[in-house]
Amino acid sequence: MSVTSRYKDAWEGFWSEASGEPGEVFWDAEPALTAGPHLAVYEPHVTDPGLTLVDLGCGNGTQTRFLADRFPQVLGVDLSAAAIELARRQDKQCETRFREIDAVDGAMVAQLHAELGDTNVYMRGVLHQCDAEDRQALADSIAVLVGERGRAFVVELAEAAGQHLRALAQAPAGPPPKLQPVFRHGLQPGSVPDADVAEFFTTAGLGVIARGELPLTTTEYASDGSRIELPSKWLIVGRNG
């Protein structure tokens, strides 16, 4: 199984337009505000930090480069060839840190696990962007990647975030500038019920080890000058809870 061509084409279009300038992409906030707080809750539950960490849905690699300073081996993977090309351009010292992979392609994921063995996984805001029919396959792929020893950190927009984004999109002045490319390329965030996120992973055979809530910081600002933050929920999943 692999993602629809519509979905992949949308991401190719989005990342092909991105210049790589810091803060250009709506969700690409600096790691001190994103992966940093996530690691604070994730690392205490990582039982084998020596495993390769897979940054699944790495985009332009901003968070991947930060994670590479905290884990001995990190691999950023993304569906979009344009995203991987951008990530490699911005990380010339370690271009092999990034790879184009369709994470709902079972054969491709199984091959990656055969190469790397069990891995830890970091995934930020990918599930809610998937087409509905691909969400369980994505959770199944994470179960394959973590194997018996790995732990996955998964953070997704909460249901309430969808309401906030719709309000931003319908503002009299239109969506904020950094949100406009998201909608233009048909990447409107899906509405995944909060309870369904954990269910995808339990169906995949993983246990929920920890969970909580954190604001998802964006690079955009409201009219009053405040940074736009969206509610998100996180899970840590694995087989050896």
Side-chain angles (χ1 to χ4, degrees):
M1 181 180 184
S2 62
V3 299
T4 64
S5 59
R6 181 211 64 80
Y7 178 71
K8 182 169 184 175
D9 289 347
W11 279 111
E12 287 295 345
F14 177 87
W15 284 116
S16 293
E17 285 186 2
S19 68
E21 288 297 317
E24 173 190 19
V25 175
F26 181 72
W27 56 82
D28 195 36
E30 53 268 39
L33 301 176
T34 48
H38 294 157
L39 286 187
V41 296
Y42 178 41
E43 285 184 310
H45 296 282
V46 174
T47 55
D48 193 340
L51 300 178
T52 297
L53 177 71
V54 175
D55 181 9
L56 199 160
C58 67
N60 62 0
T62 299
Q63 312 306 319
T64 317
R65 292 186 288 276
F66 174 84
L67 294 167
D69 289 334
R70 273 73 181 172
F71 290 84
Q73 298 181 79
V74 173
L75 176 67
V77 304
D78 201 279
L79 168 73
S80 167
I84 293 300
E85 181 182 354
L86 186 59
R88 287 173 173 166
R89 287 206 310 264
Q90 295 180 331
D91 191 6
K92 294 185 181 298
Q93 292 183 339
C94 196
E95 296 180 7
T96 58
R97 185 175 286 151
F98 301 97
R99 194 179 304 182
E100 180 187 349
I101 287 180
D102 179 350
V104 302
D105 185 319
M108 188 175 289
V109 171
Q111 182 177 353
L112 182 63
H113 181 262
E115 174 188 339
L116 300 177
D118 291 355
T119 69
N120 294 310
V121 175
Y122 175 79
M123 186 176 79
R124 181 175 68 106
V126 176
L127 191 67
H128 77 270
Q129 283 281 10
C130 285
D131 288 339
E133 59 268 28
D134 288 328
R135 290 170 186 155
Q136 185 59 58
L138 178 60
D140 293 344
S141 290
I142 290 175
V144 171
L145 290 173
V146 300
E148 297 298 324
R149 296 184 294 152
R151 296 283 173 86
F153 178 87
V154 177
V155 60
E156 295 293 332
L157 292 180
E159 287 181 66
Q163 301 171 3
H164 193 172
L165 287 169
R166 285 190 291 273
L168 289 172
Q170 295 167 5
K178 293 179 183 179
L179 197 54
Q180 291 175 12
V182 177
F183 293 135
R184 187 171 65 251
H185 288 283
L187 298 171
Q188 298 183 41
S191 178
V192 182
D194 294 340
D196 286 3
V197 177
E199 184 63 27
F200 287 128
F201 292 99
T202 56
T203 298
L206 299 176
V208 176
I209 296 164
R211 67 178 77 203
E213 300 180 8
L214 282 170
L216 193 151
T217 304
T218 76
T219 62
E220 189 59 278
Y221 293 84
S223 57
D224 64 2
S226 61
R227 176 94 69 145
I228 293 176
E229 294 183 339
L230 300 172
S232 72
K233 296 180 180 290
W234 59 266
L235 301 172
I236 296 171
V237 297
R239 285 197 174 84
N240 51 344

